[in-house]
């Protein structure tokens, strides 16, 4: 259930990023299916690849006081874009690294707000 809530939050955040950033756009027949495919790819990348990328980039992230973490997010956004277009017949394209950087910031903020609203970040308490 938590994965579906996060997927919904990422989908809404992706719609906002497509609306705000001209270098991010949906490709394919249906924009909703393209965003759903991209948000699924991004959710899978965030749950599988992101922890590994965070550990590998930890030294440079510490040296840059956490700013390099934004670069990691942009690279993962590009990876999710490539996966969504390659695996599914439709997806979301990101034109440049700058667009991916801005898109990663927008998607992180909006999906964080959506996860807080839906309660996807809450841990179950064991009694």
């Amino acid at each position: 259930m938590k994965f579906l809530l996060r997927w919904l939050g990422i989908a809404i955040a992706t719609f906002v990023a497509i609306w705000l950033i001209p270098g991010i756009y949906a490709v394919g027949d249906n924009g909703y299916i393209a965003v759903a495919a991209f948000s699924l790819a991004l959710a899978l990348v965030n749950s599988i690849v992101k922890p590994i990328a965070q550990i590998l980039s930890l030294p440079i992230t510490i040296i840059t006081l956490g700013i390099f973490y934004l670069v990691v997010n942009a690279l993962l956004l590009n990876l999710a874009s490539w996966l969504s277009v390659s695996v599914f017949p439709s997806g979301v394209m990101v034109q440049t690294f700058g667009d991916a950087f801005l898109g990663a910031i927008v998607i992180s903020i909006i999906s964080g707000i959506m996860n807080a609203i839906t309660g996807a970040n809450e841990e179950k308490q064991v009694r």
Side-chain angles (χ1 to χ4, degrees):
M1 184 68 178
K2 218 185 254 194
F3 183 79
L4 291 176
L5 289 174
R6 288 180 192 262
W7 185 23
L8 177 67
I10 291 172
I12 292 170
T14 302
F15 276 117
V16 172
I18 289 172
W19 179 61
L20 286 177
I21 301 168
I24 299 177
Y25 54 92
V27 294
D29 294 335
N30 190 344
Y32 295 111
I33 294 173
V35 170
F38 173 75
S39 61
L40 177 63
L42 187 59
L44 291 173
V45 164
N46 281 343
S47 64
I48 296 170
V49 179
K50 190 173 188 175
I52 297 167
Q54 286 176 336
I55 290 172
L56 291 176
S57 67
L58 189 62
I60 194 163
T61 302
I62 291 171
I63 290 170
T64 61
L65 302 175
I67 295 181
F68 190 74
Y69 187 67
L70 296 172
V71 174
V72 171
N73 280 345
L75 291 173
L76 294 177
L77 188 72
N78 273 333
L79 176 64
S81 172
W82 176 78
L83 280 174
S84 70
V85 174
S86 298
V87 174
F88 303 109
S90 60
V92 173
M93 288 294 299
V94 180
Q95 285 185 341
T96 64
F97 183 77
D99 295 330
F101 190 81
L102 292 175
I105 292 172
V106 169
I107 289 173
S108 295
I109 291 171
I110 301 297
S111 67
I113 292 170
M114 292 304 300
N115 288 339
I117 290 172
T118 60
N121 289 337
E122 295 177 5
E123 296 289 328
K124 285 188 177 180
Q125 295 181 357
V126 179
R127 295 180 193 209

